[in-house]
Amino acid sequence: MEPDTASAIERRLTDLENEVARLSALAEPAAAPSAGAADEGAAERDIEHANADAPDADAAPAGSDDPLWFVNELGRRAPGAVMMAGAVDTAAGPVRWQYGLMADGLLSEDWSDLARPLEALGHPARIELVRQVMRGAHTTAELLQLEHLASSGQLYHHLRQLVSAGWLVSPRRGHYEVPAARVVPLLVLTMIASS
């Protein structure tokens, strides 16, 4: 196995383990371990994947008068951290998600492994496919109606690229979804590209 493939698999496995831990904590919030009891290796890199004690979605964030309330709170809780977070209602249900890493750790990593997932979104047809799936078009029949695609062969080629990169999953044949853990990152990438 090539080193790039191995590290990509390791990163995906770590992400999967973190997501399972997050979901377990949400299912049993009273039994969730404290942040200090978390795996120390992961604790060095990961700030927080989810906050089971997060305020109600309808409640105003603390210090919402401050336009930099998120950054100021982040600086207080985790100086040196980089985070992305979002609370989004999707067709599949609400997504409440956050992820953070220490900037030092990010800067010391090899970024070449990041090219493949970013490249998968770098084609106009693929980015449009992801947008349409997020908006509710889930079947290949619905996706074939898009203007960016000349044939079903092109559609399947683009879908394979997106599934391989983890931006889409196919829970059953001919049906595609954006994994909940990818909704906020996709919206963050869209914000970055449009700014």
Side-chain angles (χ1 to χ4, degrees):
M1 187 179 305
E2 294 180 29
D4 289 0
T5 306
S7 54
I9 291 170
E10 287 175 22
R11 188 173 44 249
R12 280 192 154 161
L13 181 59
T14 300
D15 289 346
L16 241 149
E17 289 170 343
N18 290 332
E19 185 64 15
V20 169
R22 183 188 72 80
L23 291 171
S24 296
L26 291 175
E28 299 177 36
S34 68
D39 171 21
E40 286 185 33
E44 288 177 1
R45 290 189 68 228
D46 298 353
I47 305 306
E48 226 179 292
H49 285 279
N51 183 353
D53 300 325
D56 199 44
D58 297 330
S64 60
D65 300 0
D66 178 3
L68 296 175
W69 65 269
F70 184 82
V71 173
N72 291 333
E73 186 65 18
L74 177 62
R76 186 179 71 74
R77 289 182 182 221
V82 176
M83 292 200 66
M84 59 180 150
V88 182
D89 290 327
T90 68
V95 174
R96 307 293 182 255
W97 189 88
Q98 70 183 35
Y99 184 75
L101 298 171
M102 298 307 292
D104 291 344
L106 280 169
L107 292 171
S108 67
E109 289 183 7
D110 178 9
W111 288 7
S112 61
D113 290 343
L114 306 176
R116 188 166 170 256
L118 293 174
E119 183 181 50
L121 294 173
H123 190 283
R126 288 194 288 269
I127 197 88
E128 181 61 15
L129 282 169
V130 171
R131 186 176 80 90
Q132 291 300 329
V133 170
M134 286 182 70
R135 295 183 74 208
H138 296 286
T139 66
T140 51
E142 292 168 322
L143 296 170
L144 271 169
Q145 303 303 314
L146 299 177
E147 294 176 20
H148 289 84
L149 302 168
S151 69
S152 61
Q154 278 189 344
L155 173 65
Y156 288 110
H157 166 76
H158 292 309
L159 288 171
R160 271 192 306 276
Q161 295 288 321
L162 292 165
V163 169
S164 175
W167 297 112
L168 293 179
V169 294
S170 181
R172 61 184 183 273
R173 188 177 176 159
H175 190 271
Y176 295 87
E177 297 172 358
V178 174
R182 289 295 186 128
V183 170
V184 173
L186 280 165
L187 294 174
V188 168
L189 285 171
T190 303
M191 285 173 32
I192 291 167
S194 65
S195 62

